[in-house]
Amino acid sequence: MARVTATVAAFNSGRTSENGFYAISIATPYRRYYALWRIFADERPPLFIRTLADTFVMAAGKAMDLLKYCKVTLKWVDNTFFIPYYEQTYDTLPFGKYRGKRIAEVYYIDPNYVLWMANRFEPEKKKLLKLKETAQCFAVVHAELSPPRRPAYRSPSRYIGEIGEKLEALRLKILFVKQQVDTYKPDFYIDQRILAADSQGNRYIFTEKAAGKSQTPKALSCFSRQFSPGMDITLSARVMGHYESRGVKYTRLGYVKYG
């Protein structure tokens, strides 16, 4: 117990209980499982989230794992605090595909349904307002337990040249090559779609057309020059267009000639 207490104290370092805290309810002879609750700082009732385990050590470990991305303090509270909230029925769904289930059960198997209720469900009856409020509490919990979003990728790539402009002596490194069959021709003519970058990180896309017919759609013609990632090339080309994908800017080249 002392070891778990020290572990939870270390876990809570840097976490705050300013807006409430998460609590592990202590098991009793009548309720064998330890459970995880969210206690809010305002007048909202405690929110039952899920059962954890039938031993305190396992329950504390599972709770800390669930809260690993969260900045809210974890504590444990005697079960008598939660007794008045066990028999409440305002969080039981009276409609839909999860009719008869508590919101905590639905959140465990289908959190998106609960988030829909929190954000888009418009109750027509006053007695369903409590249901929406409970769903909104789960939306708070969902945001607290979810891993942080990855920052948007920022690429140094920029558009090069004006459309129609001829670029001379471009020194590029090939990043990726995709072989694809030219579907406009009756036989197997394998083109190479090439992604390359210059020394400043600007990205270029161009296609090396097949120099001859292949015997199979899985191999280049013996007359085609094969390109591969890591290869350095020098070329002149005309700018055919610009486009952006997932935050990366690309310059599309045509009329390519190699130096």
Side-chain angles (χ1 to χ4, degrees), residues 40 78 86 146 187 212 258:
F40 296 97
D78 189 78
Y86 278 123
S146 297
D187 295 309
Y258 303 98

Side-chain angles (χ1 to χ4, degrees), residues 26-127:
I26 305 301
T28 71
Y30 304 101
R31 297 186 183 276
R32 292 179 52 247
Y33 281 88
Y34 296 82
L36 183 65
W37 297 69
R38 177 65 164 89
I39 312 297
F40 296 97
D42 52 27
E43 297 180 354
R44 284 178 287 183
L47 183 70
F48 172 81
I49 299 172
R50 58 172 294 179
T51 56
L52 293 171
D54 58 358
T55 68
F56 181 73
V57 172
M58 291 183 62
K62 190 171 288 187
M64 288 187 287
D65 186 58
L66 288 169
L67 299 174
K68 59 186 175 184
Y69 300 115
C70 184
K71 299 300 182 185
V72 181
T73 302
L74 173 65
K75 303 179 181 180
W76 51 85
V77 176
D78 189 78
N79 191 66
T80 55
F81 176 81
F82 301 102
I83 289 177
Y85 305 100
Y86 278 123
E87 304 304 325
Q88 299 293 334
T89 59
Y90 57 77
D91 62 345
T92 301
L93 293 176
F95 59 82
K97 61 181 179 179
Y98 296 115
R99 182 188 181 100
K101 291 188 177 296
R102 299 182 67 185
I103 292 183
E105 296 177 85
V106 179
Y107 179 75
Y108 185 74
I109 59 176
D110 190 357
N112 287 332
Y113 189 86
V114 178
L115 295 179
W116 169 81
M117 289 184 60
N119 298 311
R120 303 185 65 179
F121 172 59
E122 294 298 336
E124 297 178 357
K125 300 178 181 179
K126 288 185 177 180
K127 66 180 182 180

